[in-house]
Amino acid sequence: MVALQLSPDFGYVVMVVAGTWVLNLWQMMKVAGVRKTLGVPYPIMFSEDKPLFNCYQRAHQNTLENIPHFLAILLLSGLYFPKYAAGAGLIWLVGRVVYSLGYYTGEPKNRLYGFFISKPCAELPLAVMTVLTAGNIVGWW
């Protein structure tokens, strides 16, 4: 049996996980709203003649594509660096909101501001902390 002793600060990491759920819910509501406004019926995933709908849908889809690896590096890095991991996770959430709002303008290139917040400013530090956590676990340092 394996036992984990978690720092109380790991609670901040768990709050970021909850924030990820809120982000997903917000994006779902935005897609549903623009679907109704533009008259795009279910189950159509992408519209041939409504590019604005595609921008909303793509912002949500891209977040769904990124959530699994984000949660993995967030939770793993949070084992040894809970406050730093939670901070980077919060930056990731803000980046995803900026990404979405940029995409919602209907001009896909406007999403890049959020990309540059969430990738190099949040995921990169989380990935480094994950490697440091692994090194600590196996006793490299």
Side-chain angles (χ1 to χ4, degrees):
M1 176 188 232
V2 175
L4 274 175
Q5 177 97 18
L6 296 175
S7 162
D9 291 337
F10 193 78
Y12 296 118
V13 174
V14 176
M15 284 190 228
V16 173
V17 172
T20 305
W21 179 83
V22 172
L23 170 68
N24 182 46
L25 184 64
W26 172 70
Q27 287 182 324
M28 287 169 39
M29 291 172 19
K30 296 296 282 182
V31 171
V34 79
R35 178 184 290 279
K36 184 176 181 179
T37 301
L38 297 177
V40 178
Y42 286 100
I44 294 173
M45 291 291 288
F46 292 96
S47 174
E48 294 291 329
D49 60 343
K50 305 245 182 351
L52 182 61
F53 173 76
N54 295 341
C55 289
Y56 277 71
Q57 180 73 355
R58 188 66 198 122
H60 186 222
Q61 183 65 38
N62 184 267
T63 298
L64 293 175
E65 293 164 2
N66 281 275
I67 283 177
H69 79 265
F70 165 69
L71 289 179
I73 59 178
L74 172 70
L75 293 169
L76 291 171
S77 64
L79 293 173
Y80 272 79
F81 308 99
K83 286 185 179 177
Y84 292 125
L90 182 60
I91 291 168
W92 188 85
L93 290 173
V94 169
R96 294 313 300 182
V97 169
V98 171
Y99 180 93
S100 298
L101 293 174
Y103 232 147
Y104 297 165
T105 66
E107 185 61 51
K109 70 179 180 187
N110 290 338
R111 77 192 193 285
L112 296 176
Y113 300 106
F115 172 86
F116 289 116
I117 294 170
S118 61
K119 291 293 181 181
C121 297
E123 287 184 29
L124 182 60
L126 287 169
V128 170
M129 286 185 278
T130 299
V131 171
L132 293 173
T133 295
N136 280 323
I137 291 171
V138 298
W140 288 350
W141 40 75

